[in-house]
Each structure stands twice: as C-alpha cells, then as structure tokens.
Amino acid sequence: MLTAAVIGAGMAGILAAIRLDQSGIACDVYEKGDSVGGTWRENTYPGIACDVAAHWYTYNFARNPEWDSLMAKGEDIRAYFEHVASDFGVLEKIRFNDEVVLLRYDAGRWHLETASGHRADYDIVIAATGVLHHPNIPDFAGIDTFRGAVFHSARWDHGVPLDGKNIGIIGNGSTAAQLVSALVEGAKRLDLYQRTAQWVMPRDNIPYSEEEKALFRKDPAALEALIRELRSKTLNGYAAAVIDVSSPEYRALEQVAQDNLATVKDAALRERLTPDYKVACKRLVISSTFYDAIQHPNARLVTSPIERIEPEGVRTADGNLHELDVLVLATGFQVDRFIRPTRVIGPGGLDLDDVWAEGPLAYLSMSVAGFPNFFLLNGPNSPVGNFSLVEVAQHQIEYILQLVDGIRTGHYREIAATPEAMRRFEEERCEAAKKTVWVTGCDSWYLDKKGVPASWTFSYDRFVQEAAHPRMQDYETR
C-alpha cells in the first residue's frame, strides 16, 4: 500500500487525509500545533469571522446546515473542522505538537524528520501548510520598552482586560477592521494606526432563521442550490472583476466601494479613509460595520507614521505621544513561507529554498519541478481572494490524486512537473497579470519581489478546467 505524509492539519490537511483514506492510501498527518483548524486555531481575536459565505466555505461531502448567519464566526468555523476531522477518523492519524523540520528524497522515498526527532519514510508528501500562520511582526523601534500588553492578532492574549482601556491597533486590513468593530464600544479610547487606507465592501451578515436551517437539514438539494447562488454571485462579480479592470464587473465593484465610503459623514475623516489606488488592488475588506465603528466617539484614526514605541505608548512622526494600555499588531502574515521553514531536499540535494530564492513557484500551484511525489495544496499562485479556499483545495486534491493514481497502479514510481511546464505556466501567469487590478499601482501582499501578483491571474473557470485532468505531457515520470 502507498503511504503519504500530510503536513498540516488545517482545512486542507483534513481534506487531504480524508481523500487519501478514501482512495486506499495510508497517511499520517503532522501538525505543529495542539489541535486541528489551521488559521482558525491560530486566530482567536475578538470579532474574528470569515468574509466568505459560510455554506460555500465547507467541504462538498460535509455540508453544515446549522450555520447561524451568512458569514460564520471564527470559533464556529474551527468547531466545524474539528467535527469533520473527528467524524471522518482524521484525529487518530495526526501527530500533534511535532513540527516537520526536514524532508529529504532518497532512493524513491521521502524521509521525514520532526522537531522531536521522530523519523518516518513515505512514498508521497502533501504540503497543506497554508499561508496565514507565520505572523509578520514589524521591527518597531522601542517596542520592547512598552509597559502595557503587546501581541500580534494571531497570538491573542485573552488574559489581558480590554474594557475601559486605551487600545492601539496597528494595521488596517480585514483583521483590523474586525477588531475595531468588536472593541470600540468597550474601549476608553481606540486608536487605529493606518499606514494605507483600504477599500471596504459592505456585506450584511444576514442571519438564517430556524425555518431555513430546518429546510437545509431536510432538503440537501435546497442547501446546494443556495451554495450555487452564493458561488455564482462571487465568481461572476468579484472574481471576474479583479482579472480585468476594463470589464463592466470591475466598474460595478468600484461603484459599490465608492458608495460605501461616501457613508462616512465627516469629510476630513472620509478623505483620510480614501485609498489612493484602485478598488481591489489590495485585498478588499468586507465589512458593513467598520465605517460606523471608526466614526464612534471612542475611535481615532491615526495616519501620521509611527516613529517609535515608548513605554507609555506610540510616538508618531508629528511628535504626538498616544498613550496606550494595550497594543495589538494586526500586521498580517509572511505569506511566502508555505511549507518553510521545513527544509525540503529533492534528488541530488536540490534544496527548495534555492529553487524558491526569488519567490515560491509551482506548476499549477501544486507541483515543483525537481521534487517528485511532492505536492502542495493552496500552494504558490493558487487562487486567493474573497472566495472559498475550501473549494480551491478540493479541486486541487482531486487533481493530485489523479497523479498519485499512476504511482498506485504501477505506471510510474515518480512524478513531478517538467521545468518547461513550470516555466511556461509562470510566463503565461505573468503575462495575464498585466490586465489584473493587482498591478495598477499599490503595494500589496499579493505582489512578489518582482511586482507580479503571487496569485492565480487567470479566470476562475480556467482554474477549474486546469484542475479537472492533468496534462501528462507536462510531467516527468520514472
């Protein structure tokens, strides 16, 4: 029987373990944390929620008719993944609290080593490590001198009292928007330190009635019809818009964001909240509460650059000292890490760190030339944005299983993308990027060192088509 190692027990790792088991492939799952859930385990800050419709953000074999509203709370999403992992027998396959530090390919197998010294050999490896788990912590001068509590949003200290406190939030993306909405009323004062204004799209989090949930339980077809509707609205709107700034879909998206900004009553505040780049050049913030929250009497928008952190608070370039009790770093993640810092050594000593020295690459986001029987879920240049990464991962695992099937049936022992296929895909992806909104003039985490979006730059329909069946001429087998 073939054996597989799955690295990570978040959404994609749970999916991989289930589908491998259903395909008759024995697998072990390695998780650096103490439980499943990935980003939903790491991020527990107040107000955390998914900005993708909850029913769409589920596995197609494990729908959940019990969601309370259109977009789910983080704790409910984590519970969903915990239940699926338990129901499908994934938990007993997981080695918790033991990070994989080395993968080395030799004599037709991957040799794995963990931080505890555990070693094992596998025929294939699937990296399901995600991207939102290595916090990006800027090196602010003096941050070690701050007398209050300071922590990253993904390392939330729930023991720190917040009510009646002066709270500072550094950052202005989706996390910060959720935090401002959740904390402003209870705070004595809340400062939002904005380096770059963000475009905010309104989306009311409509609750589901008990009658609707009863219908979804009784009639799975009704639930699937809702999911198709949610999917279609997003893909025909947002996904079509961002890859072509000349499209009518983009103009419609732009108008909605501009109309939402116009709801800010104070002209001076509205001006400071107005981005100087095109709508969706950065990842859109989805919120129907942020603009109200930042206009709350307890809220202050600080746009003067941070000069340093002092024991009493934040000193900005205009000379002002903003005294604080709590400082939260909502400064995002190192999104180019993927499986790293795990060392991945292919045949002949080929080091993945060297291959990715100029930025992470993979053919169709799933296979790296020179690394046989090594696959990635939600890997480099996968579709990202305001749609379901669960659905993306499901397309990818089915594609990978088709490649693995050739190993299982004895047609070949090794498979990896050819260098030519990986180069051609990257050239096509970079060419397609020229039409996207992401290259219209903003500094975004979507952009790599060369200024090219580290994302799928084609249509979502093309992704689905490419993931349906491998083109075997684009792979080397042995």
Side-chain angles (χ1 to χ4, degrees):
M1 177 183 286
L2 279 183
T3 59
V6 176
I7 316 300
M11 173 275 293
I14 294 168
L15 169 65
I18 292 170
R19 291 296 293 120
L20 287 165
D21 183 64
Q22 292 172 341
S23 301
I25 299 170
C27 78
D28 296 320
V29 182
Y30 292 84
E31 170 53 55
K32 67 179 181 180
D34 60 3
S35 60
V36 302
T39 190
W40 303 106
R41 180 197 65 231
E42 302 278 306
N43 292 271
T44 61
Y45 58 82
I48 182 172
C50 187
D51 57 13
V52 175
H55 284 298
W56 189 24
Y57 194 76
T58 57
Y59 306 120
N60 60 14
F61 54 82
R63 298 302 194 197
N64 175 27
E66 307 301 331
W67 296 120
D68 290 324
S69 55
L70 178 66
M71 293 173 287
K73 298 176 183 177
E75 62 196 68
D76 294 335
I77 297 170
R78 178 180 179 180
Y80 165 78
F81 288 122
E82 289 174 340
H83 285 309
V84 172
S86 176
D87 291 347
F88 284 83
V90 176
L91 295 179
E92 50 262 39
K93 301 177 186 294
I94 303 175
R95 188 180 180 92
F96 288 110
N97 296 310
D98 204 6
E99 185 173 9
V100 175
V101 296
L102 177 66
L103 291 165
R104 184 184 298 277
Y105 193 80
D106 183 54
R109 303 199 82 197
W110 282 101
H111 305 288
L112 175 150
E113 183 175 335
T114 70
S116 71
H118 173 78
R119 292 176 175 84
D121 296 341
Y122 297 93
D123 298 303
I124 64 173
V125 170
I126 297 179
T129 48
V131 294
L132 303 181
H133 59 107
H134 293 296
N136 177 46
I137 301 179
D139 186 19
F140 292 112
I143 195 167
D144 292 340
T145 69
F146 181 58
R147 291 175 183 164
V150 57
F151 44 82
H152 191 275
S153 57
R155 300 291 183 268
W156 198 268
D157 188 342
H158 291 276
V160 174
L162 300 174
D163 285 349
K165 302 297 184 181
N166 293 324
I167 303 170
I169 299 172
I170 299 177
N172 196 34
S174 295
T175 295
Q178 292 177 345
L179 282 168
V180 171
S181 298
L183 300 180
V184 67
E185 289 193 6
K188 179 180 181 182
R189 191 189 78 244
L190 187 148
D191 294 347
L192 177 64
Y193 296 88
Q194 172 187 281
R195 183 175 61 179
T196 306
Q198 303 279 355
W199 286 108
V200 181
M201 291 291 290
R203 195 177 194 187
D204 291 333
N205 196 15
I206 302 168
Y208 291 113
S209 68
E210 288 304 316
E211 290 77 13
E212 287 174 307
K213 289 193 277 187
L215 173 63
F216 297 151
R217 292 185 208 108
K218 180 181 177 181
D219 186 2
L223 179 53
E224 290 301 325
L226 172 63
I227 293 170
R228 286 194 299 271
E229 179 185 352
L230 295 168
R231 182 182 186 277
S232 177
K233 285 181 177 178
T234 302
L235 296 183
N236 292 333
Y238 169 81
V242 295
I243 63 168
D244 187 355
V245 292
S246 65
S247 66
E249 291 88 354
Y250 180 78
R251 289 192 292 273
L253 186 79
E254 191 174 43
Q255 190 62 54
V256 172
Q258 291 170 347
D259 290 347
N260 191 39
L261 178 61
T263 64
V264 178
K265 298 179 179 67
D266 182 86
L269 177 61
R270 185 170 63 248
E271 182 177 1
R272 291 194 294 148
L273 288 168
T274 301
D276 61 358
Y277 54 85
K278 293 183 75 66
V279 173
C281 186
K282 292 175 177 283
R283 189 181 193 276
L284 287 170
V285 173
I286 308 296
S287 175
S288 291
T289 59
F290 171 69
Y291 284 148
D292 285 341
I294 199 62
Q295 295 177 84
H296 193 281
N298 294 348
R300 296 194 314 183
L301 181 69
V302 182
T303 53
S304 181
I306 295 173
E307 186 174 277
R308 63 182 180 274
I309 311 298
E310 298 184 1
E312 294 80 15
V314 173
R315 178 81 64 178
T316 47
D318 57 11
N320 287 326
L321 174 64
H322 308 268
E323 295 186 0
L324 298 171
D325 302 305
V326 180
L327 183 60
V328 179
L329 307 178
T331 47
F333 299 87
Q334 301 177 56
V335 296
D336 64 344
R337 297 291 85 197
F338 296 99
I339 192 171
R340 297 177 291 181
T342 301
R343 289 286 305 280
V344 182
I345 309 297
L350 183 64
D351 193 325
L352 187 64
D353 282 342
D354 295 333
V355 174
W356 283 0
E358 297 301 315
L361 300 172
Y363 174 63
L364 297 181
S365 310
M366 293 179 274
S367 178
V368 182
F371 294 84
N373 303 353
F374 174 76
F375 308 102
L376 301 111
L377 291 174
N378 288 316
N381 310 316
S382 283
V384 296
N386 301 84
F387 47 80
S388 176
L389 291 186
V390 179
E391 182 177 283
V392 170
Q394 287 205 246
H395 284 295
Q396 291 176 336
I397 191 63
E398 297 309 315
Y399 181 100
I400 291 167
L401 287 173
Q402 291 180 67
L403 299 178
V404 171
D405 193 57
I407 304 172
R408 186 179 60 80
T409 57
H411 286 83
Y412 43 78
R413 290 183 293 119
E414 298 180 351
I415 186 166
T418 67
E420 294 77 13
M422 199 160 83
R423 175 188 52 77
R424 185 188 70 243
F425 171 70
E426 185 61 12
E427 289 176 353
E428 291 178 2
R429 194 184 67 82
C430 291
E431 182 62 27
K434 295 176 182 178
K435 291 177 62 180
T436 69
V437 69
W438 302 310
V439 297
T440 56
C442 69
D443 183 15
S444 159
W445 67 264
Y446 283 156
L447 302 180
D448 64 17
K449 295 178 182 178
K450 298 170 288 187
V452 177
S455 178
W456 185 266
T457 56
F458 312 105
S459 71
Y460 192 79
D461 284 344
R462 175 169 172 179
F463 165 71
V464 173
Q465 292 163 5
E466 293 272 14
H469 300 289
R471 288 197 295 266
M472 295 307 296
Q473 63 269 32
D474 288 343
Y475 286 89
E476 294 177 325
T477 60
R478 189 174 73 83

